[in-house]
Amino acid sequence: MSTSIREVIKQRRTIRNFNDEVISLDTIVDMLRDATWAPNHKLREPWRFVLFHGDGKEKLRDILLQSSDNIPSKKIEKFTQAQANIVVIMPENTDPLKQEEDLSAVSALIQNFLLLAWENEIGVLWKTGKLIHSSSFQQSIGIGENEKIVGILMVGKFDNVPEAQPREDIVEKLTIID
């Protein structure tokens, strides 16, 4: 019996510690392919990816070591602990409405990927922060002048599932107009 979407959503956790179990490149590509069924305005498909896998993890380590941002070695080791790192990229748009629509679409794609990974017993940590804004990192991985990084997905197998964190009852954040 398969797990319902509802259960996958409720069971999914952010994974911060990965084991050494290999995830095939085909599995990651298949999950990305399925994740692209996210809603996106006018079917612009406003996403592209840079995937570090296998020996690419060493290339990522080198890029991070050579970065002018003085990334702590502990953080670099954390990135390369994952079996893969996927840099999620979207085009910058001068039209604020299209920019907002595209960011929403890319976020929906990322959520799809997180749920697909969980269904496959693969953990993901969606990283944002200083690195995604680093011009030296962006240049090193080929981010265009009119593109931005939405996040870096650290992907890997895991041994332990973190406990669920409580959520505020939605009724506290819900206005009903009936």
Side-chain angles (χ1 to χ4, degrees):
M1 181 177 194
S2 65
T3 306
S4 72
I5 292 171
R6 180 183 195 179
E7 288 305 309
V8 172
I9 290 169
K10 290 170 71 175
Q11 292 171 4
R12 190 207 60 81
R13 300 285 177 272
T14 295
I15 299 298
R16 297 180 187 282
N17 296 302
F18 304 99
N19 64 30
D20 294 331
E21 191 175 335
V22 174
I23 301 170
S24 77
L25 185 56
D26 288 341
T27 297
I28 295 169
V29 171
D30 285 345
M31 289 187 309
L32 281 171
R33 186 176 287 121
D34 290 342
T36 64
W37 286 89
N40 62 97
H41 298 82
K42 305 217 187 283
L43 293 177
R44 284 194 296 268
E45 299 185 50
W47 43 67
R48 78 177 187 89
F49 312 92
V50 175
L51 171 59
F52 295 92
H53 181 270
D55 291 339
K57 289 178 14 175
E58 291 305 315
K59 291 178 182 161
L60 175 60
R61 180 190 315 267
D62 292 344
I63 288 168
L64 295 174
L65 284 169
Q66 294 168 11
S67 170
S68 61
D69 298 304
N70 298 321
I71 300 166
S73 59
K74 186 176 180 180
K75 188 170 269 195
I76 293 171
E77 292 308 313
K78 195 71 170 161
F79 271 106
T80 56
Q81 178 203 24
Q83 292 302 311
N85 288 275
I86 305 168
V87 182
V88 183
I89 306 155
M90 66 172 277
E92 294 270 32
N93 200 309
T94 56
D95 179 335
L97 177 61
K98 287 182 180 175
Q99 181 73 14
E100 190 172 304
E101 290 173 346
D102 289 352
L103 180 58
S104 297
V106 173
S107 296
L109 173 136
I110 291 172
Q111 175 70 354
N112 282 356
F113 185 84
L114 297 176
L115 296 173
L116 289 161
W118 195 258
E119 179 184 52
N120 285 284
E121 299 179 348
I122 296 170
V124 181
L125 174 59
W126 178 358
K127 295 287 290 179
T128 56
K130 291 180 185 177
L131 185 59
I132 70 170
H133 300 287
S134 162
S135 58
S136 65
F137 179 70
Q138 291 174 359
Q139 288 175 347
S140 295
I141 64 169
I143 303 299
E145 194 173 297
N146 296 319
E147 294 182 306
K148 69 180 270 173
I149 298 174
V150 178
I152 301 170
L153 306 179
M154 296 173 59
V155 181
K157 290 287 192 165
F158 56 94
D159 296 319
N160 300 307
V161 177
E163 290 292 319
Q165 298 299 309
R167 301 294 201 262
E168 189 174 339
D169 188 331
I170 196 64
V171 173
E172 300 299 321
K173 298 181 179 220
L174 177 64
T175 300
I176 300 174
I177 301 172
D178 193 5

